[in-house]
């Protein structure tokens, strides 16, 4: 297996947190429900924005209350909570935006993650234990009556739909500029995008290469969204749409594609389901078919914060998405690839924000 030359330091092998820092972290966990809710109110009610706008002059509680049309008491308890959360700091009764507050307001990844948690995950979070016990996304009931999130995605209520798509696209789209030269280093004639969602990858490929014909495999609602986006971009006729439930063992994938692409797709399934999907790919592939998997493995990150975000996203999969999938440890994922009959011939780490691209070949 060829790999990129990036040497990643193993994460979470030592307990190097100092005792006082450990106490701080433990209290943040203990009060986590109120930490979250107070942060949401500070941001969404405009309190942090008012503090930010005051810049180096700072702002008093009374001044904030007038700007955001809240009672002084409410602003006071929220800003005082913000002190302990390091969102703001105070000098002579005037409040100033702290670094963490600035990140919460202005850092795109943080904003996307926060909105995703607020609109998609938060209301269902108390059912996490039941989701684990039943291998079922019990929290999804707060959004609609579906067996999995993917069945209802195209008809999601607002703002959950917009926040889910922003979350999904933020991470996948950042990988595309680096992924395209890897996939097209040997230009494919026909590429199958499995789990094409709204057609973002297919559109990127059509724009990148004028000759490639794309196929998209997905559920009906997602295919409809993809077709609308692709037609609007002027690529009608260069895409084939294949309605297909990859979990239906009676259905086979369409044949005749020399390249297969799956981006942030297989993490939506349980271990045995991943093997079954890859075996479907195996049956329509030959010895020349190139198969690419674009995934975010929590153990293949440079920073612990990136790994943490992925580990927390695994809880979303358990509680909201489908009850049995996750952001995988790469070692677990490699075993599933091997079980399905494939070898990894190339691996590219740290693509985009946090992705790894694997290229597979089927074993005879």
């Amino acid at each position: 297996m060829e790999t990129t030359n990036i040497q990643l330091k193993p994460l979470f092998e030592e307990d190097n947190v100092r005792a006082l820092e450990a106490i701080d972290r433990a209290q943040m966990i203990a009060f986590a429900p109120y930490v979250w809710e107070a942060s949401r109110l500070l941001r969404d009610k405009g309190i942090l924005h008012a503090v930010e706008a005051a810049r180096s002059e700072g702002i008093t509680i009374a001044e904030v209350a007038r700007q955001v049309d809240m009672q002084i008491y409410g602003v006071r308890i929220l800003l005082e909570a913000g002190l302990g959360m390091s969102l703001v700091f105070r000098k002579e009764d005037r409040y100033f935006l702290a670094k963490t507050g600035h990140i919460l307001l202005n850092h795109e990844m943080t904003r996307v993650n926060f909105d995703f948690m607020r609109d998609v995950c938060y209301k269902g979070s108390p059912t996490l234990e039941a989701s684990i016990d039943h291998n079922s996304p019990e929290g999804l009931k707060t959004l609609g009556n579906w067996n999995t999130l993917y069945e209802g995605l195209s008809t999601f209520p607002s703002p959950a739909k917009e926040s889910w798509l922003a979350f999904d696209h933020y991470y996948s789209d950042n990988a595309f500029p680096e992924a395209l030269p890897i996939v097209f280093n040997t230009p494919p004639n026909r590429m199958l995008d499995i789990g094409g969602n709204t057609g973002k990858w297919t559109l990127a490929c059509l724009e990148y290469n004028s000759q490639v014909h794309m196929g998209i495999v997905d559920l009906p609602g997602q295919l409809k969204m993809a077709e609308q986006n692709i037609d609007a971009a002027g690529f009608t006729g260069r895409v084939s749409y294949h309605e297909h439930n990859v979990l239906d063992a009676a259905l086979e994938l369409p044949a005749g594609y020399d390249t297969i692409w799956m981006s942030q797709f297989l993490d939506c399934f349980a271990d045995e389901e991943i093997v079954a999907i890859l075996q479907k790919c195996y049956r329509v592939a030959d010895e020349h078919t190139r198969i690419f998997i674009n995934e975010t493995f929590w153990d293949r990150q440079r920073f612990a914060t990136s790994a943490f975000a992925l580990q927390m996203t695994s809880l979303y999969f358990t509680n909201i998405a489908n009850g049995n999938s996750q952001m995988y440890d790469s070692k677990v994922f490699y075993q599933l690839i091997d079980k399905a009959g494939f070898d990894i011939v190339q691996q590219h780490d740290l693509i985009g924000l946090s992705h790894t691209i694997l290229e597979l070949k089927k074993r005879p």
Side-chain angles (χ1 to χ4, degrees):
M1 177 179 71
E2 296 182 16
T3 65
T4 51
N5 293 322
I6 298 172
Q7 297 297 318
L8 295 174
K9 181 181 178 181
L11 299 172
F12 309 113
E13 289 191 342
E14 298 177 356
D15 181 8
N16 53 13
V17 177
R18 295 177 297 175
L20 287 177
E21 184 182 357
I23 293 173
D24 289 343
R25 292 187 180 192
Q27 302 321 301
M28 196 69 74
I29 293 170
F31 287 99
Y34 283 137
V35 170
W36 160 260
E37 193 61 25
S39 299
R40 183 187 70 81
L41 291 171
L42 282 163
R43 192 193 75 156
D44 293 353
K45 292 291 186 180
I47 295 172
L48 289 182
H49 289 287
V51 177
E52 180 183 45
R55 299 185 179 275
S56 60
E57 294 182 3
I59 191 169
T60 67
I61 290 172
E63 289 168 341
V64 172
R66 286 195 294 271
Q67 288 190 28
V68 302
D69 193 25
M70 284 181 65
Q71 295 180 5
I72 287 177
Y73 169 74
V75 173
R76 186 172 70 224
I77 61 170
L78 289 172
L79 279 174
E80 288 174 356
L83 291 171
M85 292 184 287
S86 299
L87 297 177
V88 294
F89 64 96
R90 186 178 70 177
K91 289 183 179 180
E92 298 179 353
D93 295 327
R94 301 188 74 82
Y95 283 80
F96 303 83
L97 193 68
K99 294 183 183 70
T100 304
H102 175 80
I103 293 297
L104 186 65
L105 288 181
N106 300 299
H107 186 246
E108 186 178 4
M109 181 174 70
T110 302
R111 179 186 57 78
V112 166
N113 288 343
F114 198 102
D115 290 349
F116 175 73
M117 291 302 301
R118 181 194 63 192
D119 300 329
V120 178
C121 304
Y122 182 59
K123 288 183 180 178
S125 61
T127 64
L128 177 60
E129 182 177 3
S131 298
I132 293 171
D133 289 344
H134 303 150
N135 286 110
S136 173
E138 300 296 329
L140 181 59
K141 295 172 184 176
T142 61
L143 296 171
N145 188 28
W146 307 288
N147 293 320
T148 70
L149 175 143
Y150 312 105
E151 295 174 13
L153 179 60
S154 63
T155 57
F156 251 31
S158 292
K161 181 178 180 179
E162 291 78 11
S163 292
W164 189 94
L165 290 172
F167 178 82
D168 182 73
H169 291 163
Y170 176 77
Y171 287 99
S172 62
D173 292 7
N174 274 282
F176 290 172
E178 294 177 66
L180 287 165
I182 293 171
V183 175
F184 281 87
N185 67 346
T186 301
N189 293 313
R190 294 175 58 83
M191 187 191 311
L192 187 64
D193 181 3
I194 302 179
N197 209 339
T198 60
K200 286 268 190 166
W201 170 255
T202 289
L203 275 170
C205 291
L206 294 170
E207 292 167 353
Y208 189 82
N209 183 286
S210 62
Q211 302 301 313
V212 67
H213 182 88
M214 299 294 296
I216 302 181
V217 166
D218 217 321
L219 298 172
Q222 281 84 316
L223 284 181
K224 184 178 179 180
M225 290 191 293
E227 187 170 8
Q228 290 173 344
N229 292 334
I230 289 164
D231 287 350
F235 292 111
T236 302
R238 289 183 58 193
V239 181
S240 300
Y241 300 92
H242 306 279
E243 183 179 320
H244 184 98
N245 180 352
V246 295
L247 296 181
D248 188 340
L251 298 177
E252 294 292 352
L253 291 169
Y257 290 90
D258 54 63
T259 304
I260 295 174
W261 168 266
M262 290 172 279
S263 178
Q264 292 185 188
F265 175 69
L266 292 176
D267 55 46
C268 300
F269 301 95
D271 297 21
E272 63 276 11
E273 292 171 342
I274 291 173
V275 174
I277 293 166
L278 287 173
Q279 287 173 338
K280 283 191 173 190
C281 295
Y282 188 95
R283 290 193 290 272
V284 297
D286 61 28
E287 66 273 19
H288 303 296
T289 305
R290 303 171 75 206
I291 297 173
F292 293 93
I293 296 172
N294 184 39
E295 277 296 343
T296 45
F297 301 119
W298 65 257
D299 65 311
R300 301 302 298 167
Q301 304 303 307
R302 178 173 284 146
F303 303 111
T305 299
S306 296
F308 169 79
L310 295 173
Q311 291 158 345
M312 295 301 104
T313 302
S314 289
L315 302 181
Y316 142 77
F317 280 114
T318 303
N319 187 221
I320 303 291
N322 57 19
N324 58 11
S325 67
Q326 67 173 110
M327 293 299 190
Y328 280 85
D329 180 333
S330 65
K331 298 178 184 65
V332 173
F333 205 87
Y334 297 160
Q335 293 172 357
L336 304 178
I337 290 170
D338 180 70
K339 188 175 181 180
F342 289 98
D343 292 323
I344 301 172
V345 295
Q346 287 197 60
Q347 175 170 326
H348 306 268
D349 287 312
L350 301 181
I351 300 296
L353 288 173
S354 55
H355 288 75
T356 293
I357 293 180
L358 303 174
E359 182 177 352
L360 316 183
K361 291 286 187 181
K362 69 181 291 184
R363 290 197 298 270

